[in-house]
Amino acid sequence: MRSPILRSKRLVLRMPQPQDAPALEHYLSAYEVSSYLTEVPHPYPTGSAVDWIERQHKGISGLNLVITLDSRLIGGIGLKPSSQRELGLFAPSIGYWLAPPFWGKGFMQEAARRLLDWYMPLEPTERISAAAYEDNKRSLKVLSGLGFCEVGRGVVYSPVRGIEVPRIEMELTADIYLGQSAAA
Ligand SMILES: CC(C)(COP(=O)(O)OP(=O)(O)OC[C@H]1O[C@@H](n2cnc3c(N)ncnc32)[C@H](O)[C@@H]1OP(=O)(O)O)[C@@H](O)C(=O)NCCC(=O)NCCS
């Protein structure tokens, strides 16, 4: 997957760079962010953001972009390849986070729309999956606002909370997403 630079009304989404490491470590160390993420360790290991950034440039773990506002890093968003490709399930999953000072301003809706506007036409038959903990009302609102619909429920171990957490699985089809965009 090529790495784009995506500009929206207020934001720029771009590849993470080595100079982003301190901001990534700072924000991903916040419990209010990482407690909703399944793949981020807590406490966030010092120095691991540098390794993570290097891995992004090797392109082996999907596409992960940082979200910037006035050149300042405020979050991250990415698409991860399906882990069930051998079963013929190719839907990548979307994941994201915002630094708490930037919540409630519509930035994630804006960032996710920009990423999907770029990605969906590249894969016209594709579906995108997502999963949010049941208690993550903010994320569920973002997903339903984008057109994601619930397709299942399950539980997943949260390394940050140290317990199994109920999770809602969601899916967005290109038909629904592109239909909405055309109607907007
Ligand atoms: C999930 C998360 C990104 C949601 O952030 P958020 O700020 O609530 O999401 P948005 O940026 O889309 O903002 C939504 C709210 O901002 C406000 N808003 C929307 N558009 C706006 C605009 N253009 N201007 C100002 N405010 C706006 C609204 O209040 C909107 O809520 P509404 O749906 O009731 O109208 C954030 O809570 C987070 O990072 N959480 C921790 C990590 C996480 O949960 N990641 C997802 C795992 S599944």
Side-chain angles (χ1 to χ4, degrees):
M1 198 184 281
R2 67 195 164 90
S3 302
I5 297 176
L6 302 175
R7 293 184 173 79
S8 64
K9 197 166 164 215
R10 297 176 291 178
L11 307 170
V12 176
L13 280 53
R14 60 158 175 79
M15 281 295 282
Q17 300 298 335
Q19 62 270 24
D20 297 322
L24 286 172
E25 284 194 22
H26 174 71
Y27 289 133
L28 291 172
S29 296
Y31 183 83
E32 59 211 303
V33 174
S34 62
S35 58
Y36 292 108
L37 302 173
T38 303
E39 295 183 10
V40 172
H42 184 80
Y44 195 82
T46 309
S48 62
V50 173
D51 297 340
W52 180 84
I53 291 166
E54 268 178 27
R55 284 205 303 282
Q56 305 319 306
H57 287 267
K58 291 180 185 152
I60 47 180
S61 52
L63 175 72
N64 280 298
L65 302 176
V66 293
I67 302 169
T68 65
L69 171 70
D70 299 331
S71 302
R72 182 178 168 193
L73 189 153
I74 65 163
I77 188 163
L79 288 168
K80 199 172 86 172
S82 166
S83 57
Q84 297 176 298
R85 294 176 79 88
E86 71 282 2
L87 301 176
L89 301 172
F90 293 99
S93 56
I94 190 167
Y96 47 74
W97 61 273
L98 269 185
F102 302 96
W103 291 7
K105 301 178 197 306
F107 287 131
M108 192 46 72
Q109 278 276 347
E110 184 173 327
R113 277 189 193 284
R114 187 64 189 90
L115 182 63
L116 294 174
D117 283 349
W118 169 77
Y119 181 75
M120 284 299 208
L122 297 179
E123 296 280 1
T125 61
E126 196 56 276
R127 291 162 187 271
I128 306 285
S129 67
Y133 297 165
E134 269 182 30
D135 63 2
N136 195 350
K137 303 296 176 220
R138 284 179 171 273
S139 184
L140 289 165
K141 219 166 175 186
V142 169
L143 292 170
S144 57
L146 292 166
F148 279 81
C149 295
E150 181 175 338
V151 290
R153 297 217 172 198
V155 288
V156 65
Y157 181 76
S158 158
V160 178
R161 301 185 194 192
I163 50 166
E164 302 241 297
V165 180
R167 184 168 80 162
I168 301 181
E169 283 137 31
M170 314 272 285
E171 204 170 79
L172 174 68
T173 63
D175 281 353
I176 289 182
Y177 187 74
L178 296 174
Q180 284 179 149
S181 306

